Amino acid sequence: MTTAQRPTLEAVARRAGVSRATVSRVVNGSTTVAEPIQEAVRRAVAELGYVPNAAARSLVTQRTDSVALVMPEEATRVFSDDQVFPGIIRGAAQELEAADKQLVLMLAGSAAGHERVERYTTGRHVDGVLFASLHGADPLPGRLMRLGIPVVCAGRPLDGDRVPYVDVDNAGGVVRAVRHLIGTGRRRISTIAGPQDMVAGIERLAGYRDVVAEAGLPEMVAYGDFTRESGASAMRQLLAAYPDLDAVFAASDLMAHAALRTLREAGRRVPDDVAVVGFDDIETAAYTDPPLTTIRQPVVELGRAMTRQLLRLAAGEAIDEALILPTELVPRQSA
């Protein structure tokens, strides 16, 4: 029994009636070959089942056909029941699959992880880099851009570098949420703000402050880090400091979930005594007790939009520096 030999570049050239060099240029993406000849080569490739050598193609085109998605978070956070990061991963993977490119997922939740990402990406092992979140003034996205590596971030970089980014309308979403609370008669509206080293936390707190100032209402703020644990702690702080509060906007649904539980433990009825609104519209928001009013953000589309922008950059196209996706209020029984 003999093993069938893999089709060679020479076999494709004979089938297409062209030179080996012409076949090489076509399979490596050259646009210098006339379209009828390209079509003949593609037909021969399909008929013979020829698979181009990935390493050789990379040398010729200076492309790896892979993109890094960097998560500057602990693994437990990325793979928790917070659906933001899985949603971004899913959206990026969908877009890259359609483009016949590979996704390289890299965690950078520690200094060592951050250094590993920098070595890998500056070593040109990928054609571009997506940053799914940024904490503080991280210089890496700007440094990669200056090295000529295409970069797109989820959210505006905080160090002032002009790096392209895609985000959701954080402040606008919060404005709708707090105005909804005011519209239901609430006047002692507190907030559990997100971390102030992340643009989402900063912008959501700014949206809250703008609306309560506009309405002449007092600020009542406690801080969390988008986790349930921090939401419970912040809710207890708010109840202790402002026992007459009648509403709370939590900057993430996970913190809002914890606020619901903490209010129940404190004997406060939702929404009769205290209304609660979250942000994200994660899957479980519709199944809390009572169901959670929230702001829906399109996280899968965020991942897709980031990837589309990156692929355009990698192809040498010009893109807008900022792309903002809309958010919407989802009213339920908690407010």
Side-chain angles (χ1 to χ4, degrees):
M1 182 183 219
T2 59
T3 302
Q5 290 186 335
R6 293 178 60 183
T8 64
L9 203 66
E10 289 78 4
V12 175
R14 286 194 299 271
R15 176 66 67 94
V18 298
S19 69
R20 184 183 187 280
T22 297
V23 173
S24 179
R25 287 198 296 273
V26 172
V27 299
N28 287 315
S30 173
T31 59
T32 62
V33 180
E35 180 57 35
I37 297 176
Q38 290 189 45
E39 179 57 33
V41 171
R42 286 194 288 265
R43 187 165 54 249
V45 166
E47 291 171 354
L48 295 174
Y50 173 72
V51 179
N53 183 289
R57 175 174 174 138
S58 179
L59 287 172
V60 172
T61 63
Q62 297 297 300
R63 296 197 307 268
T64 66
D65 286 334
S66 61
V67 166
L69 175 58
V70 178
M71 299 280 187
E73 305 284 346
E74 298 290 342
T76 52
R77 179 76 178 278
V78 173
F79 300 108
S80 71
D81 53 358
D82 184 341
Q83 294 171 358
V84 173
F85 295 124
I88 291 174
I89 294 170
R90 187 162 67 252
Q94 289 171 356
E95 207 65 33
L96 289 171
E97 182 178 7
D100 196 25
K101 297 183 184 297
Q102 298 297 317
L103 175 66
V104 179
L105 181 62
M106 306 191 74
L107 302 184
S110 65
H114 196 279
E115 291 173 3
R116 184 169 59 252
V117 167
E118 183 167 2
R119 287 196 307 270
Y120 188 82
T121 53
T122 56
R124 309 286 176 154
H125 297 294
V126 291
D127 297 329
V129 185
L130 299 165
F131 284 88
S133 67
L134 292 174
H135 291 263
D138 190 332
L140 183 55
R143 187 153 61 243
L144 295 180
M145 281 286 290
R146 287 187 287 275
L147 289 171
I149 300 171
V151 174
V152 174
C153 298
R156 172 176 50 85
L158 295 176
D159 62 356
D161 271 329
R162 296 178 66 85
V163 177
Y165 67 91
V166 181
D167 205 353
V168 302
D169 185 9
N170 288 295
V174 177
V175 168
R176 283 187 286 277
V178 180
R179 284 179 178 167
H180 173 76
L181 289 168
I182 293 172
T184 63
R186 310 293 171 161
R187 292 296 180 270
R188 300 281 295 169
I189 303 170
S190 62
T191 187
I192 302 175
Q196 297 301 289
D197 68 339
M198 296 184 71
V199 68
I202 294 169
E203 291 183 349
R204 293 174 194 181
L205 178 57
Y208 163 83
R209 284 178 162 157
D210 285 347
V211 179
V212 295
E214 175 185 77
L217 303 178
E219 284 187 14
M220 295 179 280
V221 182
Y223 294 90
D225 63 4
F226 293 147
T227 64
R228 282 193 175 90
E229 294 77 12
S230 70
S233 175
M235 191 69 251
R236 288 191 291 269
Q237 293 174 39
L238 288 170
L239 287 171
Y242 312 104
D244 58 344
L245 65 84
D246 61 9
V248 57
F249 164 72
S252 80
D253 280 355
L254 292 184
M255 295 195 299
H257 286 192
L260 289 172
R261 185 182 66 246
T262 303
L263 286 165
R264 185 163 54 248
E265 291 170 351
R268 304 293 181 93
R269 298 169 299 166
V270 177
D272 296 351
D273 300 324
V274 181
V276 179
V277 178
F279 198 113
D280 291 333
D281 194 29
I282 64 176
E283 184 177 351
T284 54
Y287 302 101
T288 55
D289 182 21
L292 181 65
T293 294
T294 185
I295 297 296
R296 177 176 296 149
Q297 61 167 333
V299 291
V300 175
E301 178 54 28
L302 176 62
R304 297 191 67 139
M306 290 171 62
T307 307
R308 287 194 296 268
Q309 294 290 79
L310 186 72
L311 293 177
R312 290 179 59 195
L313 264 183
E317 299 180 32
I319 65 170
D320 292 333
E321 182 179 320
L323 176 61
I324 307 299
L325 305 180
T327 52
E328 63 176 306
L329 177 71
V330 181
R332 297 192 181 101
Q333 285 76 20
S334 70

